[in-house]
Structures are given as C-alpha cells and as structure tokens.
Amino acid sequence: MPALPRIAVFVPDLSDAPDRRTAVALAHALLALGHPVDLVAPMGGGPLRAALDPGIGQIDLAKRHAATSPLALARCLAERRPALLAAPGGVFWVTRLAVALARTGTAAVRLDGGLEDSLAAIHAATPRSG
C-alpha cells in the first residue's frame, strides 16, 4: 500500500482562537488517518503548541507575522514537499503566494468550516496515487 501524501497546515499563530483550534484538530485527524502532517506557523509559540501530538511536524518560520511569511513558507514547501497546503481564510492569500513561489505542484486548500468540512475539502483536493 503506497504511503499517504504529506499535508501541511499553515496558521497565522498558535493562539487559542477558533480557526487555530480547528487547524490543530485537523492536523490530529489527518495524523490519525495516517498522513504525515506538518503544522506551520510564523512563530511557533502559543497556547496551542502544547496540544500538538509529537507526531505532527512543528515548523516555526521565524517570522513575526503571517504577512511576512510567504518566502519562508515557500522555502518550507520546497524542502518538505507536501502534496497539499491548507490554511484558514484569513491567511489563505499567504498560502496561495507561497505555493506559486515554491513551484512544487503543491495544492492549496482554504479552510472555511469546521473540522468535518475541512477534512472533506482536503480529501477532495488530495492527489490520488495509482
């Protein structure tokens, strides 16, 4: 059985906000399904960091804000090569710009709903193998 594709989730920070909690729950759900998962943030600290499973890659871009992160995120995409990068609507523009800059073929998915809607959007956009 082929390995499931790597999925990255970009969040503006790890503060205890509803869209960030959904992103963390999404990362856990994807990990439970067997996907390699990275959670990417401009700065890696915040209340939700302690809630992350050790199996989730925690990537700190060393940037102060999401708006200053597109180049660092593009470098991360080029190195980690996820099949898909998902992000909440408020920072989706950063995601789209990073995907364009990275030129890796990574798909971008906007997360606008709860956990079930986010999982459905990711599964619909995840490249299939074989």
Tab-separated table of all heavy atoms in Angstrom, residues 57-121:
chain	number	residue	atom	x	y	z
A	57	GLY	N	4.705	17.372	12.625
A	57	GLY	CA	5.869	18.232	12.435
A	57	GLY	C	5.512	19.662	12.804
A	57	GLY	O	4.526	20.197	12.322
A	58	GLN	N	6.285	20.265	13.688
A	58	GLN	CA	6.041	21.642	14.110
A	58	GLN	C	7.089	22.531	13.458
A	58	GLN	O	8.270	22.452	13.800
A	58	GLN	CB	6.114	21.744	15.621
A	58	GLN	CG	5.081	20.891	16.321
A	58	GLN	CD	5.232	20.947	17.827
A	58	GLN	OE1	5.556	21.977	18.388
A	58	GLN	NE2	4.993	19.826	18.480
A	59	ILE	N	6.657	23.352	12.528
A	59	ILE	CA	7.590	24.188	11.774
A	59	ILE	C	7.359	25.649	12.127
A	59	ILE	O	6.284	26.183	11.918
A	59	ILE	CB	7.453	23.941	10.264
A	59	ILE	CG1	7.751	22.470	9.973
A	59	ILE	CG2	8.373	24.869	9.484
A	59	ILE	CD1	7.547	22.056	8.563
A	60	ASP	N	8.405	26.262	12.654
A	60	ASP	CA	8.424	27.674	13.031
A	60	ASP	C	9.185	28.412	11.938
A	60	ASP	O	10.367	28.135	11.719
A	60	ASP	CB	9.115	27.803	14.388
A	60	ASP	CG	9.196	29.230	14.896
A	60	ASP	OD1	9.023	30.174	14.109
A	60	ASP	OD2	9.459	29.395	16.098
A	61	LEU	N	8.532	29.329	11.236
A	61	LEU	CA	9.169	30.053	10.136
A	61	LEU	C	10.066	31.192	10.610
A	61	LEU	O	10.719	31.842	9.796
A	61	LEU	CB	8.106	30.589	9.177
A	61	LEU	CG	7.251	29.540	8.478
A	61	LEU	CD1	6.172	30.213	7.640
A	61	LEU	CD2	8.100	28.613	7.626
A	62	ALA	N	10.085	31.456	11.907
A	62	ALA	CA	10.895	32.537	12.486
A	62	ALA	C	10.534	33.897	11.884
A	62	ALA	O	11.391	34.720	11.596
A	62	ALA	CB	12.382	32.242	12.353
A	63	LYS	N	9.251	34.112	11.702
A	63	LYS	CA	8.733	35.394	11.215
A	63	LYS	C	7.770	35.936	12.254
A	63	LYS	O	7.118	35.198	12.965
A	63	LYS	CB	7.994	35.217	9.874
A	63	LYS	CG	8.878	34.754	8.749
A	63	LYS	CD	9.864	35.827	8.405
A	63	LYS	CE	10.790	35.427	7.291
A	63	LYS	NZ	11.781	36.454	7.020
A	64	ARG	N	7.671	37.244	12.320
A	64	ARG	CA	6.814	37.860	13.329
A	64	ARG	C	5.328	37.758	12.980
A	64	ARG	O	4.493	37.613	13.855
A	64	ARG	CB	7.219	39.316	13.513
A	64	ARG	CG	6.593	39.982	14.698
A	64	ARG	CD	7.166	41.346	14.928
A	64	ARG	NE	8.526	41.270	15.426
A	64	ARG	CZ	8.859	41.371	16.707
A	64	ARG	NH1	7.928	41.544	17.601
A	64	ARG	NH2	10.114	41.297	17.073
A	65	HIS	N	5.014	37.845	11.698
A	65	HIS	CA	3.607	37.874	11.264
A	65	HIS	C	3.410	36.997	10.029
A	65	HIS	O	4.347	36.784	9.258
A	65	HIS	CB	3.180	39.301	10.910
A	65	HIS	CG	3.384	40.282	12.008
A	65	HIS	ND1	2.603	40.313	13.138
A	65	HIS	CD2	4.312	41.261	12.163
A	65	HIS	CE1	3.021	41.276	13.936
A	65	HIS	NE2	4.064	41.863	13.380
A	66	ALA	N	2.180	36.573	9.817
A	66	ALA	CA	1.853	35.788	8.629
A	66	ALA	C	2.140	36.578	7.354
A	66	ALA	O	2.604	36.016	6.362
A	66	ALA	CB	0.392	35.348	8.669
A	67	ALA	N	1.884	37.893	7.375
A	67	ALA	CA	2.079	38.721	6.181
A	67	ALA	C	3.534	38.770	5.735
A	67	ALA	O	3.811	39.047	4.569
A	67	ALA	CB	1.563	40.134	6.435
A	68	THR	N	4.469	38.478	6.621
A	68	THR	CA	5.890	38.487	6.253
A	68	THR	C	6.413	37.071	5.978
A	68	THR	O	7.618	36.881	5.849
A	68	THR	CB	6.736	39.145	7.364
A	68	THR	OG1	6.583	38.396	8.578
A	68	THR	CG2	6.325	40.592	7.590
A	69	SER	N	5.527	36.114	5.856
A	69	SER	CA	5.907	34.703	5.769
A	69	SER	C	5.922	34.057	4.393
A	69	SER	O	6.393	32.926	4.282
A	69	SER	CB	4.980	33.875	6.664
A	69	SER	OG	5.088	34.276	7.996
A	70	PRO	N	5.429	34.657	3.318
A	70	PRO	CA	5.335	33.905	2.061
A	70	PRO	C	6.649	33.290	1.569
A	70	PRO	O	6.657	32.132	1.153
A	70	PRO	CB	4.793	34.926	1.053
A	70	PRO	CG	4.030	35.891	1.884
A	70	PRO	CD	4.787	35.977	3.183
A	71	LEU	N	7.749	34.016	1.605
A	71	LEU	CA	9.016	33.458	1.121
A	71	LEU	C	9.497	32.312	1.999
A	71	LEU	O	9.943	31.282	1.490
A	71	LEU	CB	10.089	34.543	1.026
A	71	LEU	CG	9.931	35.522	-0.135
A	71	LEU	CD1	10.965	36.639	-0.042
A	71	LEU	CD2	10.041	34.805	-1.466
A	72	ALA	N	9.409	32.483	3.309
A	72	ALA	CA	9.817	31.410	4.227
A	72	ALA	C	8.915	30.193	4.063
A	72	ALA	O	9.382	29.052	4.091
A	72	ALA	CB	9.797	31.910	5.673
A	73	LEU	N	7.626	30.428	3.865
A	73	LEU	CA	6.695	29.315	3.650
A	73	LEU	C	6.998	28.622	2.326
A	73	LEU	O	6.962	27.387	2.243
A	73	LEU	CB	5.250	29.823	3.700
A	73	LEU	CG	4.153	28.783	3.571
A	73	LEU	CD1	4.283	27.682	4.611
A	73	LEU	CD2	2.780	29.465	3.690
A	74	ALA	N	7.330	29.380	1.291
A	74	ALA	CA	7.692	28.783	0.007
A	74	ALA	C	8.942	27.914	0.149
A	74	ALA	O	9.006	26.813	-0.409
A	74	ALA	CB	7.921	29.876	-1.046
A	75	ARG	N	9.942	28.366	0.908
A	75	ARG	CA	11.140	27.551	1.148
A	75	ARG	C	10.777	26.259	1.875
A	75	ARG	O	11.295	25.189	1.558
A	75	ARG	CB	12.177	28.344	1.946
A	75	ARG	CG	12.983	29.305	1.104
A	75	ARG	CD	14.173	29.869	1.851
A	75	ARG	NE	13.815	30.588	3.060
A	75	ARG	CZ	13.500	31.872	3.125
A	75	ARG	NH1	13.501	32.601	2.026
A	75	ARG	NH2	13.198	32.444	4.268
A	76	CYS	N	9.881	26.377	2.844
A	76	CYS	CA	9.418	25.199	3.585
A	76	CYS	C	8.739	24.206	2.635
A	76	CYS	O	8.979	23.000	2.714
A	76	CYS	CB	8.467	25.635	4.694
A	76	CYS	SG	7.735	24.292	5.626
A	77	LEU	N	7.913	24.698	1.729
A	77	LEU	CA	7.241	23.828	0.758
A	77	LEU	C	8.253	23.143	-0.150
A	77	LEU	O	8.119	21.957	-0.454
A	77	LEU	CB	6.253	24.634	-0.089
A	77	LEU	CG	5.052	25.233	0.643
A	77	LEU	CD1	4.226	26.077	-0.323
A	77	LEU	CD2	4.213	24.171	1.305
A	78	ALA	N	9.272	23.885	-0.570
A	78	ALA	CA	10.292	23.311	-1.438
A	78	ALA	C	11.081	22.215	-0.719
A	78	ALA	O	11.467	21.221	-1.337
A	78	ALA	CB	11.226	24.405	-1.941
A	79	GLU	N	11.305	22.379	0.565
A	79	GLU	CA	12.052	21.384	1.343
A	79	GLU	C	11.203	20.180	1.727
A	79	GLU	O	11.625	19.039	1.588
A	79	GLU	CB	12.613	22.022	2.616
A	79	GLU	CG	13.720	23.012	2.373
A	79	GLU	CD	14.113	23.766	3.626
A	79	GLU	OE1	13.684	23.389	4.732
A	79	GLU	OE2	14.872	24.746	3.502
A	80	ARG	N	10.002	20.426	2.254
A	80	ARG	CA	9.167	19.349	2.790
A	80	ARG	C	8.308	18.662	1.733
A	80	ARG	O	7.872	17.534	1.924
A	80	ARG	CB	8.263	19.878	3.909
A	80	ARG	CG	8.989	20.583	5.058
A	80	ARG	CD	9.734	19.644	5.927
A	80	ARG	NE	8.797	18.860	6.708
A	80	ARG	CZ	9.146	17.989	7.624
A	80	ARG	NH1	10.403	17.791	7.890
A	80	ARG	NH2	8.253	17.302	8.281
A	81	ARG	N	8.007	19.363	0.645
A	81	ARG	CA	7.243	18.824	-0.476
A	81	ARG	C	5.891	18.220	-0.105
A	81	ARG	O	5.577	17.077	-0.479
A	81	ARG	CB	8.067	17.797	-1.227
A	81	ARG	CG	9.325	18.369	-1.812
A	81	ARG	CD	9.158	18.466	-3.271
A	81	ARG	NE	10.360	18.989	-3.901
A	81	ARG	CZ	10.301	19.810	-4.923
A	81	ARG	NH1	9.161	20.173	-5.407
A	81	ARG	NH2	11.398	20.258	-5.471
A	82	PRO	N	5.048	18.958	0.630
A	82	PRO	CA	3.711	18.404	0.900
A	82	PRO	C	2.889	18.378	-0.385
A	82	PRO	O	3.086	19.190	-1.290
A	82	PRO	CB	3.116	19.398	1.902
A	82	PRO	CG	3.789	20.692	1.576
A	82	PRO	CD	5.196	20.306	1.164
A	83	ALA	N	1.972	17.441	-0.465
A	83	ALA	CA	1.069	17.379	-1.614
A	83	ALA	C	0.043	18.498	-1.534
A	83	ALA	O	-0.462	18.960	-2.558
A	83	ALA	CB	0.360	16.030	-1.648
A	84	LEU	N	-0.230	18.943	-0.316
A	84	LEU	CA	-1.299	19.911	-0.099
A	84	LEU	C	-0.943	20.822	1.057
A	84	LEU	O	-0.359	20.380	2.049
A	84	LEU	CB	-2.578	19.135	0.217
A	84	LEU	CG	-3.846	19.928	0.344
A	84	LEU	CD1	-4.967	19.191	-0.357
A	84	LEU	CD2	-4.194	20.106	1.788
A	85	LEU	N	-1.283	22.105	0.932
A	85	LEU	CA	-1.119	23.090	1.992
A	85	LEU	C	-2.487	23.693	2.277
A	85	LEU	O	-3.126	24.242	1.383
A	85	LEU	CB	-0.128	24.178	1.575
A	85	LEU	CG	0.087	25.338	2.543
A	85	LEU	CD1	0.647	24.846	3.882
A	85	LEU	CD2	1.003	26.382	1.930
A	86	ALA	N	-2.952	23.556	3.509
A	86	ALA	CA	-4.268	24.070	3.906
A	86	ALA	C	-4.077	25.233	4.872
A	86	ALA	O	-3.128	25.240	5.665
A	86	ALA	CB	-5.073	22.965	4.576
A	87	ALA	N	-4.986	26.200	4.817
A	87	ALA	CA	-4.903	27.360	5.707
A	87	ALA	C	-6.279	27.982	5.888
A	87	ALA	O	-7.113	27.936	4.983
A	87	ALA	CB	-3.944	28.399	5.145
A	88	PRO	N	-6.498	28.602	7.064
A	88	PRO	CA	-7.749	29.338	7.277
A	88	PRO	C	-7.849	30.517	6.313
A	88	PRO	O	-6.826	31.024	5.821
A	88	PRO	CB	-7.648	29.837	8.722
A	88	PRO	CG	-6.531	29.073	9.347
A	88	PRO	CD	-5.641	28.615	8.235
A	89	GLY	N	-9.070	30.958	6.066
A	89	GLY	CA	-9.325	32.031	5.115
A	89	GLY	C	-8.535	33.300	5.330
A	89	GLY	O	-8.095	33.929	4.368
A	90	GLY	N	-8.301	33.683	6.569
A	90	GLY	CA	-7.602	34.931	6.859
A	90	GLY	C	-6.168	34.980	6.381
A	90	GLY	O	-5.626	36.060	6.157
A	91	VAL	N	-5.533	33.819	6.210
A	91	VAL	CA	-4.142	33.770	5.739
A	91	VAL	C	-4.016	32.956	4.455
A	91	VAL	O	-2.910	32.592	4.050
A	91	VAL	CB	-3.177	33.221	6.817
A	91	VAL	CG1	-3.065	34.191	7.975
A	91	VAL	CG2	-3.594	31.838	7.284
A	92	PHE	N	-5.132	32.710	3.786
A	92	PHE	CA	-5.080	31.903	2.573
A	92	PHE	C	-4.286	32.591	1.467
A	92	PHE	O	-3.618	31.941	0.673
A	92	PHE	CB	-6.493	31.545	2.096
A	92	PHE	CG	-6.487	30.549	0.977
A	92	PHE	CD1	-6.012	29.261	1.178
A	92	PHE	CD2	-6.928	30.895	-0.286
A	92	PHE	CE1	-5.983	28.330	0.154
A	92	PHE	CE2	-6.904	29.977	-1.327
A	92	PHE	CZ	-6.434	28.696	-1.109
A	93	TRP	N	-4.305	33.916	1.441
A	93	TRP	CA	-3.530	34.639	0.431
A	93	TRP	C	-2.040	34.345	0.584
A	93	TRP	O	-1.320	34.244	-0.417
A	93	TRP	CB	-3.818	36.140	0.480
A	93	TRP	CG	-3.281	36.835	1.693
A	93	TRP	CD1	-3.900	36.989	2.899
A	93	TRP	CD2	-2.001	37.454	1.822
A	93	TRP	NE1	-3.078	37.680	3.771
A	93	TRP	CE2	-1.912	37.980	3.129
A	93	TRP	CE3	-0.916	37.625	0.959
A	93	TRP	CZ2	-0.782	38.662	3.592
A	93	TRP	CZ3	0.195	38.306	1.419
A	93	TRP	CH2	0.257	38.815	2.719
A	94	VAL	N	-1.572	34.190	1.820
A	94	VAL	CA	-0.167	33.848	2.066
A	94	VAL	C	0.114	32.459	1.494
A	94	VAL	O	1.146	32.225	0.856
A	94	VAL	CB	0.166	33.898	3.575
A	94	VAL	CG1	1.594	33.453	3.843
A	94	VAL	CG2	-0.082	35.289	4.138
A	95	THR	N	-0.815	31.551	1.711
A	95	THR	CA	-0.699	30.189	1.213
A	95	THR	C	-0.607	30.169	-0.311
A	95	THR	O	0.271	29.525	-0.884
A	95	THR	CB	-1.907	29.354	1.686
A	95	THR	OG1	-1.890	29.320	3.107
A	95	THR	CG2	-1.893	27.955	1.143
A	96	ARG	N	-1.497	30.884	-0.973
A	96	ARG	CA	-1.501	30.907	-2.444
A	96	ARG	C	-0.219	31.502	-2.992
A	96	ARG	O	0.347	30.998	-3.962
A	96	ARG	CB	-2.712	31.670	-2.956
A	96	ARG	CG	-3.997	30.878	-2.725
A	96	ARG	CD	-5.172	31.495	-3.364
A	96	ARG	NE	-4.874	31.738	-4.774
A	96	ARG	CZ	-5.733	32.277	-5.604
A	96	ARG	NH1	-6.913	32.622	-5.202
A	96	ARG	NH2	-5.404	32.484	-6.870
A	97	LEU	N	0.271	32.568	-2.363
A	97	LEU	CA	1.512	33.194	-2.811
A	97	LEU	C	2.694	32.248	-2.614
A	97	LEU	O	3.531	32.073	-3.505
A	97	LEU	CB	1.733	34.508	-2.067
A	97	LEU	CG	2.980	35.310	-2.454
A	97	LEU	CD1	3.036	35.580	-3.952
A	97	LEU	CD2	3.010	36.618	-1.659
A	98	ALA	N	2.767	31.586	-1.463
A	98	ALA	CA	3.856	30.650	-1.186
A	98	ALA	C	3.839	29.478	-2.158
A	98	ALA	O	4.892	29.053	-2.644
A	98	ALA	CB	3.768	30.158	0.254
A	99	VAL	N	2.662	28.956	-2.459
A	99	VAL	CA	2.543	27.841	-3.411
A	99	VAL	C	3.050	28.276	-4.788
A	99	VAL	O	3.783	27.541	-5.452
A	99	VAL	CB	1.085	27.328	-3.465
A	99	VAL	CG1	0.837	26.459	-4.684
A	99	VAL	CG2	0.757	26.560	-2.190
A	100	ALA	N	2.677	29.480	-5.211
A	100	ALA	CA	3.136	29.987	-6.509
A	100	ALA	C	4.654	30.170	-6.523
A	100	ALA	O	5.324	29.816	-7.500
A	100	ALA	CB	2.436	31.302	-6.839
A	101	LEU	N	5.205	30.702	-5.459
A	101	LEU	CA	6.647	30.929	-5.380
A	101	LEU	C	7.439	29.620	-5.322
A	101	LEU	O	8.531	29.520	-5.883
A	101	LEU	CB	6.987	31.789	-4.159
A	101	LEU	CG	6.542	33.242	-4.215
A	101	LEU	CD1	6.701	33.905	-2.843
A	101	LEU	CD2	7.322	34.008	-5.276
A	102	ALA	N	6.897	28.623	-4.631
A	102	ALA	CA	7.607	27.354	-4.460
A	102	ALA	C	7.670	26.539	-5.744
A	102	ALA	O	8.607	25.784	-5.957
A	102	ALA	CB	6.959	26.533	-3.344
A	103	ARG	N	6.653	26.647	-6.589
A	103	ARG	CA	6.590	25.907	-7.855
A	103	ARG	C	6.814	24.405	-7.672
A	103	ARG	O	7.572	23.785	-8.417
A	103	ARG	CB	7.594	26.466	-8.857
A	103	ARG	CG	7.279	27.863	-9.274
A	103	ARG	CD	8.215	28.317	-10.345
A	103	ARG	NE	8.718	29.624	-9.958
A	103	ARG	CZ	9.724	30.223	-10.515
A	103	ARG	NH1	10.375	29.656	-11.487
A	103	ARG	NH2	10.111	31.407	-10.101
A	104	THR	N	6.163	23.843	-6.680
A	104	THR	CA	6.333	22.415	-6.385
A	104	THR	C	5.129	21.571	-6.783
A	104	THR	O	5.167	20.351	-6.631
A	104	THR	CB	6.574	22.203	-4.877
A	104	THR	OG1	5.471	22.727	-4.156
A	104	THR	CG2	7.868	22.848	-4.426
A	105	GLY	N	4.054	22.208	-7.242
A	105	GLY	CA	2.845	21.456	-7.560
A	105	GLY	C	1.966	21.203	-6.343
A	105	GLY	O	0.993	20.465	-6.425
A	106	THR	N	2.314	21.809	-5.208
A	106	THR	CA	1.505	21.672	-4.001
A	106	THR	C	0.135	22.300	-4.225
A	106	THR	O	0.041	23.419	-4.738
A	106	THR	CB	2.207	22.374	-2.808
A	106	THR	OG1	3.480	21.772	-2.602
A	106	THR	CG2	1.388	22.280	-1.542
A	107	ALA	N	-0.912	21.595	-3.864
A	107	ALA	CA	-2.274	22.136	-3.951
A	107	ALA	C	-2.547	22.997	-2.726
A	107	ALA	O	-1.997	22.755	-1.657
A	107	ALA	CB	-3.285	20.987	-4.015
A	108	ALA	N	-3.383	24.012	-2.878
A	108	ALA	CA	-3.754	24.888	-1.764
A	108	ALA	C	-5.242	24.725	-1.480
A	108	ALA	O	-6.054	24.696	-2.405
A	108	ALA	CB	-3.440	26.341	-2.099
A	109	VAL	N	-5.574	24.609	-0.191
A	109	VAL	CA	-6.969	24.443	0.217
A	109	VAL	C	-7.293	25.465	1.294
A	109	VAL	O	-6.577	25.579	2.291
A	109	VAL	CB	-7.229	23.016	0.755
A	109	VAL	CG1	-8.609	22.900	1.370
A	109	VAL	CG2	-7.065	21.999	-0.346
A	110	ARG	N	-8.383	26.176	1.078
A	110	ARG	CA	-8.869	27.161	2.043
A	110	ARG	C	-9.783	26.462	3.039
A	110	ARG	O	-10.712	25.758	2.654
A	110	ARG	CB	-9.623	28.256	1.300
A	110	ARG	CG	-10.119	29.354	2.180
A	110	ARG	CD	-10.840	30.393	1.344
A	110	ARG	NE	-11.398	31.393	2.194
A	110	ARG	CZ	-11.230	32.696	2.010
A	110	ARG	NH1	-10.545	33.129	0.971
A	110	ARG	NH2	-11.763	33.549	2.836
A	111	LEU	N	-9.502	26.670	4.327
A	111	LEU	CA	-10.301	26.076	5.398
A	111	LEU	C	-11.305	27.112	5.898
A	111	LEU	O	-10.931	28.073	6.543
A	111	LEU	CB	-9.387	25.622	6.547
A	111	LEU	CG	-8.266	24.666	6.162
A	111	LEU	CD1	-7.370	24.405	7.358
A	111	LEU	CD2	-8.839	23.379	5.598
A	112	ASP	N	-12.565	26.909	5.567
A	112	ASP	CA	-13.588	27.879	5.944
A	112	ASP	C	-14.661	27.323	6.856
A	112	ASP	O	-15.577	28.025	7.224
A	112	ASP	CB	-14.272	28.442	4.693
A	112	ASP	CG	-13.421	29.464	3.992
A	112	ASP	OD1	-12.711	30.221	4.665
A	112	ASP	OD2	-13.468	29.500	2.751
A	113	GLY	N	-14.575	26.068	7.198
A	113	GLY	CA	-15.627	25.486	8.020
A	113	GLY	C	-15.052	24.819	9.246
A	113	GLY	O	-13.919	25.063	9.649
A	114	GLY	N	-15.848	23.951	9.804
A	114	GLY	CA	-15.413	23.176	10.957
A	114	GLY	C	-14.537	22.017	10.533
A	114	GLY	O	-14.119	21.907	9.372
A	115	LEU	N	-14.297	21.131	11.458
A	115	LEU	CA	-13.396	20.005	11.228
A	115	LEU	C	-13.870	19.110	10.078
A	115	LEU	O	-13.094	18.766	9.193
A	115	LEU	CB	-13.228	19.195	12.514
A	115	LEU	CG	-12.314	17.981	12.425
A	115	LEU	CD1	-10.907	18.384	12.000
A	115	LEU	CD2	-12.291	17.243	13.751
A	116	GLU	N	-15.131	18.733	10.071
A	116	GLU	CA	-15.644	17.834	9.020
A	116	GLU	C	-15.556	18.478	7.644
A	116	GLU	O	-15.161	17.826	6.668
A	116	GLU	CB	-17.081	17.402	9.337
A	116	GLU	CG	-17.203	16.544	10.581
A	116	GLU	CD	-16.359	15.274	10.507
A	116	GLU	OE1	-16.325	14.633	9.439
A	116	GLU	OE2	-15.732	14.930	11.518
A	117	ASP	N	-15.926	19.763	7.543
A	117	ASP	CA	-15.838	20.465	6.264
A	117	ASP	C	-14.384	20.562	5.803
A	117	ASP	O	-14.089	20.410	4.615
A	117	ASP	CB	-16.429	21.875	6.367
A	117	ASP	CG	-17.932	21.868	6.544
A	117	ASP	OD1	-18.581	20.865	6.184
A	117	ASP	OD2	-18.467	22.880	7.046
A	118	SER	N	-13.476	20.812	6.734
A	118	SER	CA	-12.054	20.919	6.401
A	118	SER	C	-11.499	19.587	5.917
A	118	SER	O	-10.753	19.532	4.933
A	118	SER	CB	-11.259	21.422	7.612
A	118	SER	OG	-11.672	22.730	7.960
A	119	LEU	N	-11.843	18.502	6.598
A	119	LEU	CA	-11.403	17.172	6.157
A	119	LEU	C	-11.939	16.846	4.769
A	119	LEU	O	-11.212	16.316	3.917
A	119	LEU	CB	-11.853	16.103	7.151
A	119	LEU	CG	-10.990	15.915	8.384
A	119	LEU	CD1	-11.665	14.994	9.384
A	119	LEU	CD2	-9.619	15.395	8.015
A	120	ALA	N	-13.201	17.180	4.523
A	120	ALA	CA	-13.798	16.923	3.211
A	120	ALA	C	-13.090	17.719	2.122
A	120	ALA	O	-12.806	17.192	1.037
A	120	ALA	CB	-15.291	17.242	3.236
A	121	ALA	N	-12.776	18.985	2.398
A	121	ALA	CA	-12.081	19.823	1.415
A	121	ALA	C	-10.690	19.274	1.121
A	121	ALA	O	-10.251	19.237	-0.028
A	121	ALA	CB	-11.993	21.266	1.917
